[in-house]
Amino acid sequence: MSVTVTDVSKTAGTAGAGSPASVSEWVRRRRGLIAGVGALVVLVVLGSVLLGGGGWPAGLTADISGPLDDANDWVVDNRDTHPLFLYFLLHLSNTATDAVDGVYQVLDALGWLGVVAAGVLVAWRAAGLGRRGLRVALTSLGAFAVCGLLGMWDATLLTIALMVVSVAAAALLGALIGLAAGLSDRVNRLLRPVLDTMQVLPAFAYLLPFVLVFGTGTPAALVCTVIYAAPPMARLTALGLRGADPAALEASASLGASGWQRLRTARLPLARKQMLLGLNQTIMMALSMVVIAALVGAGGLGEEVYSALSTTDVGKAFAAGVPIVLIAIWLDRTTAAAGDRIGEPTPAGSWLHGGRAWALVAAAVAVAAAVRTTTWPEAWTYDISTPVNKAQEWITANLTFTEVWAREFTLWILNPLRDTLVWLPWWSVLLLVAAVTWFVGNWAAAVTATAAMAVIGALGVWAKSLDTLSQVLAALVVTLVLGFLAGVLCARAGRLERWLRPVLDAMQTMPQFVYLIPVVALFGATRTSAIVAAVVYALPAVVRITTQGLREVDPAAVEASRSLGASTRQQLFGVQLPLARPALQLAVNQGVVLVLAVVVVGGLVGGGALGYDVVKGLSRGEMGLGMTAGIAIVCLGLVLDRITQRTSRPTDR
Amino acid sequence: MRTVRTLRTAAAVTGAIALLSLTACSAADTGKSDDVGGKKTVKLTVPSWVGAQANTAVAKHILEKELGYKVKTQQMGEVLAWDALSKGDVDAILEDWGHPKEEKQYVETKKTVVKGGDLGVTGHIGWFVPKYFADEHPDVTDWKNLNKYAEDFRTAESGDKGELLEGSPDYVTNDDAIISNLKLDLKTNYAGSEAAQITAIKKYAKEKKPFLTYWWTPQWLNAQIDMVEVKLPEYKEGCDADPKKVACAYPNTPLQKFFNADFAKDGGEAAEFLKNFTWTTEQQNEVALMIADQKLSPEAAAEKWVKENESTWKAWLPKK
């Protein structure tokens, strides 16, 4: 490996503004801008001190909860008689219920042997027939076996039935949206904020209206899941269509293919890999809605988790949470393996190939089903709730420093941060948001962010939103520090990463409701508990993206710096981190989105503020209150997104 | 090229809409079929707290084993359950702590829900301190002395005031108004869920720390942790009429049952049985403790109780 000195400096130069040399370069170029922002900050602070602090003026607010509550009442009064319901919406909800019931009945009729055979064989076939396929198949077998062992067989089937229908609907909807966005720039621009809102608006906020319109149980749960899970499919489909190799399109056009033919024969097949990744993400998102679906009576594993909460039975919640994680792992490994296989040549001459193999799978499942073993045998179950409860009690009794830590964290970090934010005059907050977004991005971003902040004020939830903002910021800092640290370690030690992978999987898919009680037992019903829950949820994504980003840094650059005598530390800070900057930025952005997604869960463990309002809106049937807080969370998401995304947008999720 | 594409898109969209409206040309079922597999079905809601789970479990056991019904249970929030009750997705709510807004809307205006009578259990909400703290400081049980102890109840969340621990957003509470109207040196902290509140109380009790919490009876935790109520200014009819001016204690609430109007009329033996269903606080607590403390499943707890208390439930069965 012989790389000259000039080559290294060139690579470092293209790395952009991250490395020390280019930072000073960048500072020199934008000296005027920095001076302006600095002056503004001084002005804001001086102005606040002289004029005194204060919240959003009451005269500038508009209460939207009145009209929303009226709409609520209208639905209740008209849903049995109005044609919109009789001829359209009720059909939708009846179809949804029938579809889920149908899938459940099929699974039930297959018997447990049939379901296990179907799950394992489909995984094996989809992952390819070689050694990798075998490994995926074994993982699936283990996953199903544990679901049965934990005594959750029936609940697992119900959840799978709901998942099958909702993922199918979300994938279809997402693919259609993605198709439109992939083919037209204007549609793409129009849809982007819609997709953002679909993901950041807490499901709790819109659960109530959907329950009123579609009815409790399956229909409302299904619609909410589809809304939350469709965006990744839409985004990745659009990305795949846009990223299609122009040469291939050119070729098919020159062969005289019409637009439709080109789409069918060239663009869609080329986007297949991205679409499968989208499906994978959609499945994961849908699974994270299982417990929320249970809040409106959808049943399944979510209900087991939710009902365990009322007796503060962590063991039982855990026993229901594990199957959710295992279903996620089964589906994730299967779809990921299928995605990896796309484009690989199929082994020629193998008779276990194509339609014949699928026929074999179907035959095997039919045989297994014919054995007619209806439900999972009672004798083959093991109750883990007692040992888990014992372990939880031991841990919370012995980790006493957590309480002290939580207290200090609240007193010295959270309270000052919140009090400062709330104390700042409203106009200075707007100015600060505008200045910071303009500084890191451009004026368009600054306008959006400032407008979003103003909407928060106009909705009359200024103080609560700043309270939530202070919690989100604190959680974000903790997540990023821990996440970058773990990411760097994982990138350097491959074994650690393999070791951590199942842990990260579990952290991401285990319903937050399961660890709610241990968190409160350790940290009390405080804002710190809310922050801990957020960190646990957001950490895996940050670790994964950081590791990935560092791994993909050009090995030549690292090698070169090493040959120049750079220490490990210098390599990391001088070369790897600057080169991985886009990935690190994506990690920050994902951190924001994920932390915001848990604000509502934080409301359940003492986080208060907006999260509590959203939960209250659902549980007391006050749609106005819940929606107002939900919209404020979306606005906070917009502000933070514009601040963290800099110039280029992350493409994914 | 562009216009062709636009035209095609328009045609596709029109086609899709036409198809949708074709499938929707008949009025949909509003969904109230009661027969599943030839058996009459009763649909009950399972509220999130254990006492109410005990009602549902016992009712389900007797309906299925003695009267030959099939019982479908669904877990959901209280307000959602009211809505489902009005639509007929749920046939009965067996324990309601008072939802004046829903009562007015569904019982009085729409007449889709009817009253099902007393459950026999009386609920009471109040402010509670642990017994170990009240034993040391007997005068804490009067609200007039609370300011003296505000310092003991202080936490990181309540700043320089004493903390009044609140529960789930579901609960009826006037506490913020009571605190400001009685000029108390307290601040509410919303735990956000019953689970979080119970966990926090258990934590305090284990460390023998003083605390002040919004709490209620009947509740299974009361059998594990002894708590003493703090006397607030006496409740008088109407003293809680204006939410902003409340400065009095909570009333005693005889818990109510509510039925879907159609079910009450055509529900036959099941409706009659549920109407007769009344038991005492002690009886409910017996079942609730089996579920919450001994971690029995609600079904197993109900079965055990039914086996041991034949004389009680025999009286609820419809007269032949």
Side-chain angles (χ1 to χ4, degrees), chain B residues 62-76:
Chain B
I62 298 172
L63 277 170
E64 287 190 336
K65 294 281 141 58
E66 301 294 325
L67 298 172
Y69 280 85
K70 177 145 182 44
V71 178
K72 247 175 83 182
T73 55
Q74 248 192 341
Q75 178 150 24
M76 64 183 97

Side-chain angles (χ1 to χ4, degrees), chain B residues 6 51 58-59 75 79 98 158 203 227-228 254 291 296:
Chain B
T6 319
V58 168
Q75 178 150 24
V79 176
S158 64
K203 188 175 160 72
M227 286 189 262
V228 185
I291 300 172
L296 246 59

